[in-house]
Amino acid sequence: MAKKLSTEMVDLLGNYGHIGFTFVAAIFIGLGGGIYLDEHFFDGNTSPWFTFIGLAFGIGAGFKSLFDILRTPAARTKDKDSEG
Amino acid sequence: MEHPILFISIILEKLGLPIPHGPIGNTFLEKLCEPYMTYTWFVMIFLVVVGKLTLSNIEMIPGKGQNFWELLIGGMYDFFNDNMGSELTEKLFPMISTFALYIAVGNLIGLIPGFMSPTSSINTTLALTLIVWVTHHLIGLRAHGVGYIKHFLGPIPVLIPLMLPIELISNVARLLSLSIRLFGNIMAKETLLGILFMLAGAYFAPLPIMLLGVLVSLVQAMVFVLLTVVYFGQSNEHAH
C-alpha cells in the first residue's frame, strides 16, 4: 500500500510539478527569440513586430505544453485499464 | 552575501591554491578551485568510495550495505523499465541512475555546515540538463531517422507553419525549465539556510528549514530523473 502510494506520489510530482516553470520558460523563450530577431537580425527596422509574434508563439507553446501535460497521464491510465 | 565557511576552500587556500573571491574565477586554476567544482569532485569521490566500501565483496546473502544498494538500484531499474521500456533502460540505466545519485547526494550535502550543494550553481545544473537534452534528441534521431521531425510537426499538415515554432519553443523550454528548477530550488535552500545561520544560528532557527531542505533535495532529484525518463520515453515513441 505504502509503495503504491509513493509511486503515485512520484507520478503526480513528475507530471504536474513542472507546469509553472515550463509555462514561464516557453513564454520567455518566445519573447526572447522575437526580441533577438527584431534588434539583432533586422537591426531594429521591424521593431515591435517580431517581438509580438514571438510573444504570441511563446504563449502558444506554453499552452501547448499544458495540454501535453494534461494528455499524458490520462492516456497512461487508459492503457493500464485496458491491460488489467 | 558572503558564503558561510566552506572547508574544502579553506584547505585548498592553505595549500596555496588560488580561491576565487567572486562567484567566477579569472584564471583556469581559479575556475577549477571554485566551490561548486571542488564540491562536485567531493561528491564524486564520496560516491565512488562508498560504493567501493559497501560493494567490494558481493555475497549471496547481502549484508547491510549491499542490501541498501540492491533496494535502491532495483527500485530505480523497475521504475525506468515501467516508464521508458526495457530496451532504453538497458542502454541508459548507468547514465540516469548516476544522475539520480549525484543530484540526490549533491543536494543533501548542502545541509551539512561547511559543505555546499554543487547543484546550487547554474553551471552544474545546466551541464546536466544539456546532456539530457542532447541525449533525448539523439535517441529520437536514432529511433526514427529523418522521420523524427514528425514529432515537431503536429497532427495536421495544414497547421505545420503554426505548430513547428510552437513545438520548437516548447522543446527548448524543457532545457530552461529543467535546469532552472533544480538550480532555483537548491539555491533558495542554501541561501535561506545561510541567512538563518547568520541571523539566529544560536537559537536553532535553521532547523525547520533543514527539515524542508531534506524534502526539497530528494523531491528535486526525483523530479529531475522522472522528467529525464519521460523525455527519453517520448522521443523514443512514435509521433502521434
Side-chain angles (χ1 to χ4, degrees):
Chain A
M1 182 65 200
K3 199 182 174 194
K4 198 182 171 192
L5 202 69
S6 72
T7 52
E8 198 185 331
M9 189 72 199
V10 172
D11 261 9
L12 289 178
L13 269 175
N15 284 324
Y16 304 112
H18 63 111
I19 288 178
F21 265 111
T22 314
F23 195 77
V24 173
I27 292 175
F28 270 102
I29 285 176
L31 184 64
I35 288 174
Y36 177 82
L37 273 182
D38 261 350
E39 299 297 328
H40 299 279
F41 201 74
F42 293 109
D43 285 332
N45 292 328
T46 53
S47 193
W49 288 101
F50 277 105
T51 307
F52 285 124
I53 293 171
L55 183 61
F57 273 125
I59 293 171
F63 275 105
K64 190 236 144 214
S65 60
L66 273 190
F67 285 126
D68 278 357
I69 289 163
L70 282 179
R71 207 174 44 197
T72 323
R76 209 183 284 161
T77 44
K78 217 179 275 170
D79 285 349
K80 268 180 194 161
D81 285 349
S82 62
E83 274 171 25
Chain B
M1 195 192 76
E2 193 69 22
H3 207 283
I5 301 156
L6 298 172
F7 83 98
I8 290 184
S9 296
I10 292 175
I11 292 173
L12 287 181
E13 206 157 30
K14 283 277 190 308
L15 288 176
L17 287 165
I19 302 296
H21 291 287
I24 304 162
N26 293 318
T27 60
F28 181 67
L29 198 60
E30 271 195 6
K31 281 188 205 300
L32 284 185
C33 291
E34 281 160 17
Y36 70 88
M37 290 290 284
T38 50
Y39 280 91
T40 297
W41 290 330
F42 181 81
V43 172
M44 282 158 60
I45 293 168
F46 175 81
L47 283 174
V48 169
V49 168
V50 167
K52 194 80 191 160
L53 281 180
T54 46
L55 295 175
S56 53
N57 49 345
I58 291 177
E59 294 161 14
M60 268 308 285
I61 301 162
K64 275 181 209 158
Q66 195 186 334
N67 222 334
F68 169 75
W69 286 110
E70 276 183 9
L71 196 69
L72 191 69
I73 301 291
M76 279 201 284
Y77 191 88
D78 289 343
F79 175 72
F80 297 164
N81 234 342
D82 287 346
N83 280 292
M84 63 180 188
S86 58
E87 186 197 347
L88 272 185
T89 310
E90 294 288 326
K91 257 186 247 163
L92 292 165
F93 179 75
M95 182 182 132
I96 308 175
S97 58
T98 310
F99 273 18
L101 289 175
Y102 169 69
I103 293 173
V105 173
N107 289 348
L108 284 172
I109 211 172
L111 293 168
I112 309 168
F115 291 82
M116 167 204 170
S117 292
T119 39
S120 69
S121 163
I122 186 85
N123 296 314
T124 311
T125 58
L126 191 61
L128 295 173
T129 312
L130 273 175
I131 296 170
V132 168
W133 194 74
V134 170
T135 312
H136 98 267
H137 282 310
L138 286 182
I139 288 170
L141 282 175
R142 196 170 161 164
H144 308 294
V146 187
Y148 180 54
I149 202 168
K150 277 183 195 155
H151 279 253
F152 299 101
L153 296 184
I156 310 166
V158 183
L159 286 180
I160 283 176
L162 189 66
M163 289 307 281
L164 184 63
I166 285 181
E167 293 273 359
L168 285 179
I169 288 172
S170 70
N171 196 278
V172 178
R174 286 175 174 183
L175 191 64
L176 212 66
S177 78
L178 205 59
S179 61
I180 291 181
R181 182 174 350 90
L182 184 58
F183 157 71
N185 277 291
I186 303 306
M187 197 210 53
K189 183 201 79 184
E190 293 276 282
T191 313
L192 194 54
L193 277 180
I195 290 173
L196 283 177
F197 262 123
M198 204 174 60
L199 286 178
Y203 303 103
F204 300 107
L207 266 185
I209 305 298
M210 280 183 150
L211 189 70
L212 284 179
V214 175
L215 205 69
V216 166
S217 304
L218 291 177
V219 164
Q220 287 308 317
M222 222 158 61
V223 167
F224 190 96
V225 171
L226 188 93
L227 282 179
T228 305
V229 169
V230 167
Y231 292 162
F232 285 176
Q234 272 177 5
S235 61
N236 198 36
E237 279 170 4
H238 281 286
H240 26 258

